[in-house]
Amino acid sequence: MTAQLDALSFDGEPFDALLWSAPESLPPAPDPQQPTSTDLAPLSTQDSRPAPVEHPPAPEPAPGTDPVAELLGDVRAELVAAHLSAMDVQTAWQRRTLAALGQPSTQPTPVTGQTYRVAVGYSPDSGITVAAQPGRPNTTPEVQPATTMSAFKALALTTVTTLDDTALANLVRGEIATVFGPAYEQHGDNPAIRLTPATHTRLTRIAEITRHGGPWHRGRLRAEYEGPLDPTAVIELVWQASQVFALQVGLHLCLAQARFHAGPEQSEVDLTRHATGPGELLLDVMQLDLFPRPWLRVNAELRQAGEVVARVRGLVLEIREAPGTPVGPSVGGVITTSFGRYSAGGERALLGEFHMTHSARGDLGIALGPEFTAYAGRRATRMPNHGLQLCDRVMAVEGERGNLTAATSRTEYDSPADSWYYAETANASMPNVVYMETSLQSALLLGYFLGATLTAPEEDYSLRNLDGTATVLREVDLRDKTIRQSTRLLNTTVMVGAVLQSFSYELSVDGEPFYAGESLFGFFNETALANQNGLDNGAYAPPWQPSTPPRTIDVAARRTNDTGVRSTSGHLALLDAVEVVDGGGKFGRGYLRAARPVAADDWFFAYHFHLDPVMPGSLGVEAVLQAVQEWALDAGLADGLTDPEFVVPTDVALSWRYRGQILADDREMTLEVHIEDVQRRPGRVRVLGEASVWKPGLRIYELTGVAVELRGAGARPW
């Protein structure tokens, strides 16, 4: 990379340094396809430009030449001479810059209060190089803070958030698992990634790493350093701190032969005063993602005695695979090599979080194989993204692409305790929506990987879940657990404009199953999708009509008051009010009705799916369950229980039928629940019911086995 130089101004076609042929005595220009490793010495403040090269005078006009033409020729000659002189000056400056390529840095004494534009180069062989020169600040990109839904999920968990000098030395040797734990082990013949050793100044201690800290809620690191500061030293410290953060969140785990690279953007360094002693570094992560390759962007401050002595804005660190290393399946979904990702137990994953990210919002060819590259920019089947992406790794597939009759797969999903749904659910553990989505996503991925949509590759298929039944087998707290799913493709039916597939699945944790079910999916082209006419053959089937006016449960008010039983919040707060007809409904035990406005900017449309926004059916089910939970509390069913909390009931088969979906232009979702039964056991109360969900004019969901349960502290299993 080269530093950006101020260009001289002159009339005519500007000189392009990239097209200029360097003399043989100067080093060759770097290969733009390779990581750059340059160190540009800033130009001296003295005017040391060489004298312009003499050019031969313009030839005299021949006798008898027209005077006007002669005058124009003179003007043209003067312009050419001026242009060439300007080019000589600029060429001389470029020669000085090019001659400095590859030479040791000779940074002058930094000017306090000066902003430096900095280009960072890095390669595993030569380390970090810095080209810095004074310049005006660039426009800092506007970055929105992460929400609980868009927050980055680390690829490994560790309790290590502070590092001493010994731990930093281990990272320099590439001993990452020694520092952070066995889940961070690099696999392969030649693990390459390691902390860059210091050359100018160094970090002496990492005081704290917080993964969701800082103003952008993407991470913060505090460190201590020693040594004098100039632009190169400042960048080197921030580069090292960025590497430590990247390693701690496990970015190196998702690519084979991973290695650090510098991003193409220039950074900015502000030096506010001279500083030579030890100090503190505060690094804030602005952006952090696996797409298109793992990378992060940071801002940082360096302080001494509580005073800011330097700032860095917009430093970008990337992680890439070694040149020539495959990053995705080959034709037919064939995977013959490791892509770098292994489970915490050391088992090689076929596809990892990097591939799941591309399957949700990136290059489907990287995620699934070259046959899917043609879907770029099209409304194709994709996985949910960010906080709704609930499948991390494909560990095994038994089946062949194109054979849609039978196949099995094993997948994994890590469920960190700080996941958004644990904070926002009313349940003691994972909410029902995540049970459903985790299992359904693994199933749909198997069918998609096998090539369900490749039966008609010219079509743009949308994926929709149609039917399913699932049962919680045992109560288990899933925080910080790895959920493992076994999925079996049962059958496939290919029709004009649609492909239907059914699956069975079982989820387990710590070797014991806790959830099992079956489900039917459909891949639909635009015409088939438009022909969906609800559960009642296109007729409008209205909700149950009460003979007496209903009363209203103010859900929003309970959410803001401490009633002793936890409420849903945030993204899971799907209802503000529930209407109740006591003793109503088809069973005479109670009837519930609720409506939720639908807007194009509702959060779930951005996460489910990219280029094909639709409300997850599992969220409609979740809204039904929340209505029943609110009724249970309003009916006093928690009274007499010690520290009551909601759990997903075991051994109750929840069944669903979907024949439509809530889209971004729908105005409202309406639901009703018929309370069927209230059952009691010591320390527990269970409510059962049936439900339906409407979009304007159509009934689209039908649910049986709807169940919620209140559990008192210490109660035995149901």
Side-chain angles (χ1 to χ4, degrees), residues 577-666:
V578 176
E579 295 180 342
V580 178
V581 179
D582 295 312
K586 62 186 292 187
F587 303 106
R589 303 296 300 270
Y591 173 79
L592 317 178
R593 184 180 183 276
R596 183 192 188 280
V598 174
D601 61 354
D602 276 327
W603 66 268
F604 39 78
F605 290 129
Y607 298 96
H608 185 277
F609 303 98
H610 178 59
L611 301 181
D612 183 21
V614 59
M615 180 180 181
S618 56
L619 274 180
V621 176
E622 187 69 22
V624 166
L625 295 174
Q626 288 180 21
V628 181
Q629 287 177 333
E630 295 299 328
W631 180 83
L633 294 177
D634 182 77
L637 300 185
D639 297 348
L641 299 179
T642 303
D643 297 328
E645 55 188 358
F646 284 108
V647 295
V648 181
T650 60
D651 300 321
V652 178
L654 171 64
S655 297
W656 61 92
R657 293 179 64 214
Y658 301 151
R659 292 299 183 269
Q661 55 275 317
I662 303 295
L663 302 176
D665 57 356
D666 288 323

Side-chain angles (χ1 to χ4, degrees), residues 471-521:
T471 304
V472 176
L473 305 178
R474 63 187 177 99
E475 289 182 10
V476 57
D477 190 346
L478 296 167
R479 290 174 175 85
D480 285 340
K481 299 290 188 178
T482 294
I483 298 170
R484 295 175 172 86
Q485 174 158 324
S486 299
T487 303
R488 180 178 297 277
L489 172 64
L490 301 178
N491 60 68
T492 301
T493 303
V494 180
M495 303 181 295
V496 176
V499 179
L500 304 182
Q501 291 188 310
S502 61
F503 301 87
S504 64
Y505 46 81
E506 183 180 82
L507 277 64
S508 63
V509 66
D510 297 330
E512 293 292 330
F514 68 90
Y515 189 72
E518 294 187 2
S519 197
L520 172 67
F521 290 91

Side-chain angles (χ1 to χ4, degrees), residues 1 85 157 167 175 186 211 250 345 696 717:
M1 298 178 187
S85 295
L157 294 177
E175 299 172 1
Q186 298 184 85
R211 291 188 172 180

Side-chain angles (χ1 to χ4, degrees), residues 113-137:
Q114 176 68 61
T115 295
Y116 290 82
R117 291 183 181 179
V118 178
V120 179
Y122 180 82
S123 73
D125 298 325
S126 58
I128 187 171
T129 53
V130 177
Q133 74 168 54
R136 295 186 302 274

Side-chain angles (χ1 to χ4, degrees), residues 527-602:
T527 301
L529 201 62
N531 288 333
Q532 287 187 315
N533 57 5
L535 288 163
D536 305 294
N537 295 319
Y540 176 64
W544 183 81
Q545 299 299 312
S547 58
T548 58
R551 61 184 181 84
T552 300
I553 301 174
D554 191 340
V555 178
R558 193 182 80 81
R559 193 177 297 129
T560 59
N561 298 319
D562 184 6
T563 62
V565 179
R566 186 176 176 182
S567 300
T568 56
S569 61
H571 301 87
L572 285 181
L574 299 173
L575 302 175
D576 288 335
V578 176
E579 295 180 342
V580 178
V581 179
D582 295 312
K586 62 186 292 187
F587 303 106
R589 303 296 300 270
Y591 173 79
L592 317 178
R593 184 180 183 276
R596 183 192 188 280
V598 174
D601 61 354
D602 276 327

Side-chain angles (χ1 to χ4, degrees), residues 108-113 228-230 271-277 304 307 309:
T109 301
V111 179
T112 58
L229 298 182
D230 61 17
L271 288 177
T272 59
R273 70 172 178 85
H274 297 295
T276 57
Q304 290 190 358
E307 179 185 354
V309 295

